[in-house]
């Protein structure tokens, strides 16, 4: 008699170790909402039946991209998320999200707990995380996100450098005063590259006439031109624009994705694991977009190797049909916190790891050295 499903071992989270690391970026990263020079990296290590699962809280240092920060997510995990999962038994990581669903918002905080359990579950089963979530790809096509620079010459030189490293598409950050003319000069210099822009909510619908000038430059898409929490105005803008709109900030769950698609607010969606609250939500958005013929790609949040490894797993799902923002460790860090570091081939792809779980080893010695705050929740 096959009663394997009855005797399947239950998962119990014995402890969560929270660590904050301070790590300087090799070069500053500037968006329409500000410049980052040093990251505060928040790592979560879960002990699940004695198996360590790792994840990263992808919140920023300030609430300028979305409402979460490293400090709010620490507090929410400590005061609300840990008490909700502590002592509970799960038959799979996919159930963890439901036990945190009563917490409103704070998706990046919730995602880290769920995602650490996914890593531990995959390790416990001896399989790669990307296979556990249903991934089908053995190589991930890569693009880069290039911040606002001090001069156009510096921007052109950076693009040149990334193209010769093999990256398949260039995304440049824009804001009022660094937009149409900048794009025109990039296009003039690189007529045939896959090019897109990301405004991080820097415009309003009343800027539509200005934004429409971008239609002359054959952009793959314009990412999040309008307010972070608005879907309807994006629909009104998309009706006037030829360039496809891609939503990032505005899509926090599958309901938002459905509304955006049905309103015609976007033609493409950027899925970020933290922003949407973890693998369960990310897969739901992925599946909906696949059904509706909307391509998705994996965004980034200047993650350390831990978050980067999760992004690689996510991007193996079949509807991740466009190059993402997941790029090599060496673009961000003097030294990453995982072994091996994430590398990109001269063809512009990341070869998906074959080891169990996230497939990259956390470098505990280095992690401990960079840690400025640590708390163990039991
Ligand atoms: O909007 O995609 C974004 C970084 C921080 C916050 C928001 C965004 C970004 C990026 C960088 O574009 C992507 C990366 O290289 O990790
Ligand atoms: Mg974005």
């Amino acid at each position: 008699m096959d009663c394997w499903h009855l005797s399947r071992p239950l998962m119990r989270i014995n402890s969560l170790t929270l660590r904050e690391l301070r790590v300087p970026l090799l070069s500053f990263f500037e968006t329409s909402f500000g410049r980052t020079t040093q990251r505060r990296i928040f790592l979560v290590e879960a002990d699940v039946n004695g198996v360590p699962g790792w994840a990263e809280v992808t919140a920023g240092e300030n609430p300028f991209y979305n409402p979460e920060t490293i400090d709010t997510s620490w507090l929410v995990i400590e005061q609300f998320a840990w008490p909700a999962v502590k002592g509970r038994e799960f038959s799979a990581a996919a159930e963890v999200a439901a036990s945190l669903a009563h917490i409103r918002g704070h998706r990046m905080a919730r995602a880290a707990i769920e995602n650490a359990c996914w890593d531990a579950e995959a390790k416990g089963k001896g399989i790669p995380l990307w296979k556990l979530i249903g991934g089908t790809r053995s190589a991930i096509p890569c693009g880069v996100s290039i911040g606002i620079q001090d001069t156009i010459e510096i921007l052109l030189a950076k693009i040149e450098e990334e193209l010769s490293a093999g990256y398949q598409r260039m995304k440049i950050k824009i804001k009022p005063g660094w937009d149409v003319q900048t794009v025109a000069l990039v296009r003039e210099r690189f007529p045939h590259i896959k090019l897109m822009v990301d405004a991080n909510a820097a415009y309003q619908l009343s800027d539509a006439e200005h934004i429409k000038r971008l239609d002359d430059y054959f952009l793959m898409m314009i990412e999040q031109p309008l307010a972070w929490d608005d879907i309807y105005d994006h629909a009104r803008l998309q009706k006037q624009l030829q360039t496809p709109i891609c939503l990032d900030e505005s899509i926090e769950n599958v309901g938002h994705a459905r509304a955006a698609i049905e309103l015609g607010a976007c033609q493409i969606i950027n899925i970020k694991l933290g922003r949407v609250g973890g693998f369960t939500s990310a897969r739901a958005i992925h599946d909906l977009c696949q059904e509706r013929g909307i391509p998705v790609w994996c965004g980034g949040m200047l993650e350390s190797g831990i978050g980067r490894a999760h992004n690689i797993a996510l991007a193996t799902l079949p509807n991740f049909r466009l190059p993402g923002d997941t790029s090599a460790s060496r673009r961000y860090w003097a030294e990453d916190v995982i072994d091996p570091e994430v590398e990109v081939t001269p063809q512009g792809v990341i070869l998906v790891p074959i080891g169990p779980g996230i497939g990259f080893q956390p470098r505990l010695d280095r992690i401990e050295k960079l840690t400025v705050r640590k708390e163990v929740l039991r």
Side-chain angles (χ1 to χ4, degrees), residues 187 191 193-195 214-221 243:
R187 234 335 152 220
I193 62 169
K194 283 187 185 159
L195 180 65
L214 290 171
D215 276 342
D216 292 342
Y217 304 102
F218 312 105
L219 301 176
M220 295 173 79
M221 68 196 91
T243 309

Side-chain angles (χ1 to χ4, degrees), residues 138-156:
S138 56
I140 305 298
C142 303
V144 289
S145 175
I146 304 180
I148 293 165
Q149 304 298 322
D150 289 333
T151 68
I152 182 76
E153 289 73 27
I154 297 173
L155 175 64
L156 294 172

Side-chain angles (χ1 to χ4, degrees), residues 83-354:
V85 295
K86 177 182 171 177
R88 290 191 48 176
E89 293 189 314
F90 302 99
S91 59
E95 288 175 5
V96 175
S99 71
L100 297 172
H102 61 292
I103 298 174
R104 301 287 184 250
H106 302 286
R107 290 186 169 81
M108 291 169 162
R110 289 190 266 153
I113 297 180
E114 185 197 338
N115 294 349
C117 291
W118 278 99
D119 178 34
E121 182 179 343
K123 280 178 180 142
K125 292 179 165 153
I127 60 171
L129 173 59
W130 64 273
K131 289 212 168 149
L132 181 63
I133 66 164
T136 54
R137 246 173 248 287
S138 56
I140 305 298
C142 303
V144 289
S145 175
I146 304 180
I148 293 165
Q149 304 298 322
D150 289 333
T151 68
I152 182 76
E153 289 73 27
I154 297 173
L155 175 64
L156 294 172
K158 291 230 170 200
I159 294 174
E160 186 80 64
E161 184 188 331
E162 305 295 8
L163 288 169
S164 40
Y167 288 102
Q168 299 184 17
R169 75 96 171 97
M170 301 291 127
K171 159 169 143 183
I172 62 174
K173 293 289 190 177
I174 59 167
K175 66 173 181 181
W178 180 268
D179 51 23
V180 179
Q181 212 195 344
T182 307
V183 169
L185 291 167
V186 170
R187 234 335 152 220
E188 186 178 73
R189 174 78 169 272
F190 305 101
H192 303 300
I193 62 169
K194 283 187 185 159
L195 180 65
M196 60 170 289
V197 294
D198 185 357
N200 288 108
Y203 300 90
Q204 299 178 329
L205 189 58
S206 55
D207 299 317
E209 285 307 313
H210 181 69
I211 298 169
K212 276 158 70 174
R213 294 172 60 199
L214 290 171
D215 276 342
D216 292 342
Y217 304 102
F218 312 105
L219 301 176
M220 295 173 79
M221 68 196 91
I222 171 168
E223 184 176 344
Q224 196 72 38
L226 308 180
W228 73 279
D229 57 351
D230 180 274
I231 290 175
Y232 184 66
D233 274 358
H234 279 103
R236 298 213 287 174
L237 179 64
Q238 182 68 90
K239 284 186 179 60
Q240 307 175 50
L241 263 188
Q242 274 158 34
T243 309
I245 290 177
C246 170
L247 289 178
D248 173 353
E249 283 90 326
S250 296
I251 307 298
E252 297 189 324
N253 60 38
V254 71
H256 294 162
R258 187 175 299 111
I261 294 167
E262 292 184 4
L263 282 168
C266 65
Q267 299 178 41
I268 299 167
I269 290 178
N270 165 343
I271 301 183
K272 290 182 183 170
L273 268 174
R275 190 195 75 226
V276 305
F279 275 109
T280 301
S281 170
R283 284 202 304 189
I285 296 170
H286 166 274
D287 295 353
L288 172 80
C289 289
Q290 187 161 34
E291 265 167 42
R292 305 291 179 95
I294 300 286
V296 303
W297 55 276
C298 183
M301 291 296 294
L302 310 175
E303 290 94 341
S304 80
I306 300 291
R308 206 162 288 282
H310 282 274
N311 291 344
I312 293 169
L314 178 67
T316 65
L317 293 174
N319 195 37
F320 281 80
R321 285 187 270 150
L322 296 165
D325 279 347
T326 307
S327 59
S329 302
R330 69 157 66 94
R331 292 189 61 250
Y332 306 81
W333 319 111
E335 233 184 321
D336 206 339
V337 298
I338 51 166
D339 190 30
E341 299 203 343
V342 174
E343 285 186 26
V344 169
T345 71
Q347 290 71 41
V349 300
I350 292 171
L351 300 173
V352 177
I354 52 171

Side-chain angles (χ1 to χ4, degrees), residues 46-73:
D47 174 324
V48 183
N49 300 346
V51 179
W54 286 81
E56 181 163 342
V57 178
T58 63
E61 292 72 27
N62 44 50
F64 302 160
Y65 163 79
N66 75 348
E68 295 189 78
T69 74
I70 292 298
D71 295 305
T72 65
S73 50

